[in-house]
Amino acid sequence: PKYSLEIRPHPQPELHMEKDKNGLQNRNDCSNGDPGVTPDSFKASDIIIDLASCSKQKPDPNSLVFGAEFTDHMLCIDWMKETGWQHPVIKPFQNLSLHPAVSALHYAIQLFEGLKAYRGEDGKVRLFRPKLNMERMHRSALRMTLPDFDKEELLQCILKLVEVEKEWVPYSSSASLYIRPTFIGTEPTLGVRKPSRALLYIILCPVGPYFSSGSFNPVSLWAEPKYVRAWMGGTGDCKVGGNYGPTIFAQYEAVAVGCQQVLWLYGEDEQITEVGTMNLFIFWTNENGEEELVTPPLDGIILPGVTRHSILDLAQQWGEFKVSERHLTMKDLVLALNENRVCEMFGAGTACVVCPVSRVSYKNKDFHIPTMENGPKMAKRFLQELTDIQYGRAPSDWMVEVPSP
């Protein structure tokens, strides 16, 4: 094993961190002691573990609400410009104590990631393509001027945290353990600048289906050009909170008109980009009479999703139809629907995996998408292949096994 660990029993979870004499957050607070410093990058081999004195009761995997239950422990790694990275600490799940002026709160200098651990039918726990998440998180950190880190070391830290919390990975083939790495600027100043302090932390929660309607029930989309999620030169391709908070207003408007998600459009030609928390795919007969799976390209506006990446990889491996990453407009979609060329439309993401689309509301008109009438053969096939890999029913080098304690 890569880890050389110091284990210290923890009598009772702390609810608040101490402050230094100036009233600022102590840089050692997230580590429950004096863990030392690693100036270039933190190291998984330096992890310190403070165990909670007791474990909470595990929820029923059949009644999980996404993001509502959290595990017993979290991982924290503090950073300061003067001294670099401190040792990673796994400690009881607890509140953070932050100065009111930290840059994450005022200027959204923050980012997050989302990946999952699955319990296979063989009992082993595995992560799905986590290196892609580490690469994306690293790109987001550079964009948000947060400190550099070693992607492999972060992955090893995550694996250790999941190992500690292994019993929180649901014994279910319809649930999983959601992993939320979060990176925030913590410099206590109102100045708009690159932060001199930061905190990287990871929390875990067991989850079931993302949508309340169920794991494979179709959703309806509201395509409204008056709202824009991202733009060229912005941060649409980074996983940052600033891409999500402003979308909630439009999401509620979509619900008010009877839709579940927003189909985000961009530009005067109303390019289709992505859907709420998902990348979008269309399986159709294209203008040239070819069967084609098409998804918008990674042009800086949309998030490079791991599930998106995986669906494209699978489709290329099958080699049964044309696979394209290219721009699509609402005009293209409406024309194809009127000519009965659309077979299926579905979203894809870590939270939902694959989610069929049955209706698009656009300019006060509802357009029926015949996804469910067509099986949905393609969406179901991708879902089956992906979940077979994730739950260990099909061997794949995409999965990274969590070591046994």
Side-chain angles (χ1 to χ4, degrees):
K2 190 170 181 176
Y3 318 108
S4 173
L5 302 174
E6 177 183 348
I7 311 284
R8 297 188 295 195
H10 197 285
Q12 178 177 335
E14 298 177 2
L15 295 180
H16 299 283
M17 300 176 188
E18 297 296 323
K19 295 181 180 177
D20 62 20
K21 62 183 180 181
N22 298 314
L24 307 182
Q25 181 189 357
N26 189 316
R27 68 184 179 87
N28 291 326
D29 288 342
C30 199
S31 304
N32 282 346
D34 183 17
V37 170
T38 30
D40 298 322
S41 180
F42 49 83
K43 306 291 183 184
S45 57
D46 294 329
I47 290 178
I48 297 169
I49 300 181
D50 286 337
L51 294 175
S53 57
C54 59
S55 180
K56 294 178 288 187
Q57 184 176 354
K58 311 299 184 295
D60 180 354
N62 297 314
S63 59
L64 290 169
V65 176
F66 192 94
E69 299 271 355
F70 296 92
T71 67
D72 296 314
H73 297 88
M74 62 194 297
L75 184 142
C76 290
I77 319 172
D78 223 339
W79 176 86
M80 286 188 70
K81 180 180 179 181
E82 296 84 357
T83 51
W85 287 104
Q86 297 182 51
H87 291 343
V89 175
I90 294 174
K91 58 192 268 185
F93 188 93
Q94 60 191 258
N95 294 335
L96 299 176
S97 179
L98 297 173
H99 190 281
V102 295
S103 52
L105 298 178
H106 292 267
Y107 307 120
I109 301 179
Q110 62 83 242
L111 60 96
F112 64 96
E113 263 301 329
L115 60 158
K116 288 179 178 179
Y118 302 83
R119 187 176 298 278
E121 294 184 355
D122 57 1
K124 295 180 179 179
V125 174
R126 302 176 180 88
L127 273 57
F128 180 71
R129 307 194 81 171
K131 291 186 177 181
L132 294 179
N133 294 94
M134 299 302 97
E135 290 169 4
R136 188 172 65 185
M137 184 168 180
H138 189 260
R139 291 194 302 269
S140 297
L142 294 177
R143 184 67 171 85
M144 300 308 295
T145 69
L146 286 163
D148 198 4
F149 60 90
D150 187 292
K151 299 183 288 290
E152 181 60 29
E153 292 296 339
L154 178 57
L155 175 55
Q156 294 301 319
C157 288
I158 290 172
L159 288 170
K160 187 60 205 177
L161 178 61
V162 176
E163 179 187 331
V164 169
E165 302 285 62
K166 216 166 188 178
E167 284 305 304
W168 280 91
V169 182
Y171 287 81
S172 169
S173 60
S174 60
S176 55
L177 185 69
Y178 187 77
I179 303 167
R180 173 54 64 89
T182 308
F183 202 1
I184 62 174
T186 57
E187 181 177 0
T189 178
L190 296 181
V192 183
R193 61 180 182 234
K194 182 177 180 179
S196 62
R197 299 185 185 187
L199 170 66
L200 195 163
Y201 65 93
I202 302 166
I203 54 179
L204 312 173
C205 53
V207 297
Y210 182 75
F211 295 113
S212 59
S213 58
S215 59
F216 201 69
N217 291 321
V219 297
S220 53
L221 308 180
W222 185 55
E224 174 50 64
K226 70 178 179 180
Y227 297 119
V228 178
R229 174 193 170 272
W231 49 90
M232 297 300 294
T235 58
D237 58 347
C238 299
K239 204 165 180 68
V240 297
N243 290 341
Y244 292 81
T247 70
I248 297 173
F249 184 84
Q251 171 66 27
Y252 272 83
E253 193 164 337
V255 172
V257 298
C259 295
Q260 292 161 284
Q261 291 285 310
V262 178
L263 174 57
W264 295 102
L265 308 179
Y266 177 75
E268 292 185 1
D269 57 350
E270 297 179 346
Q271 293 175 21
I272 293 170
T273 61
E274 58 182 85
V275 178
T277 55
M278 305 181 288
N279 293 120
L280 187 71
F281 287 86
I282 300 174
F283 185 63
W284 64 1
T285 301
N286 65 21
E287 305 90 332
N288 300 318
E290 305 166 299
E291 276 195 335
E292 181 185 35
L293 180 72
V294 61
T295 191
L298 299 181
D299 58 2
I301 293 178
I302 71 169
L303 188 72
V306 174
T307 309
R308 175 190 182 277
H309 194 309
S310 303
I311 286 176
L312 290 172
D313 285 347
L314 287 174
Q316 294 283 8
Q317 291 171 20
W318 297 345
E320 300 171 11
F321 43 80
K322 186 175 183 179
V323 180
S324 302
E325 299 177 69
R326 62 184 177 93
H327 288 115
L328 295 169
T329 65
M330 281 304 299
K331 182 179 178 181
D332 297 328
L333 177 59
V334 170
L335 177 62
L337 287 168
N338 289 336
E339 294 178 351
N340 296 316
R341 291 190 284 109
V342 176
C343 296
E344 299 180 34
M345 180 186 290
F346 55 90
T350 296
C352 69
V353 189
V354 176
C355 179
V357 175
S358 61
R359 177 169 59 91
V360 174
S361 179
Y362 171 64
K363 293 186 176 178
N364 299 316
K365 184 176 179 181
D366 286 342
F367 291 88
H368 175 69
I369 311 296
T371 305
M372 303 310 286
E373 290 90 326
N374 287 305
K377 179 181 176 183
M378 197 55 57
K380 278 185 176 178
R381 184 178 177 187
F382 281 121
L383 179 64
Q384 188 64 54
E385 292 239 3
L386 288 171
T387 53
D388 281 349
I389 291 170
Q390 291 165 344
Y391 290 98
R393 297 185 291 265
S396 174
D397 57 7
W398 289 355
M399 303 304 291
V400 175
E401 186 174 336
V402 176
S404 298

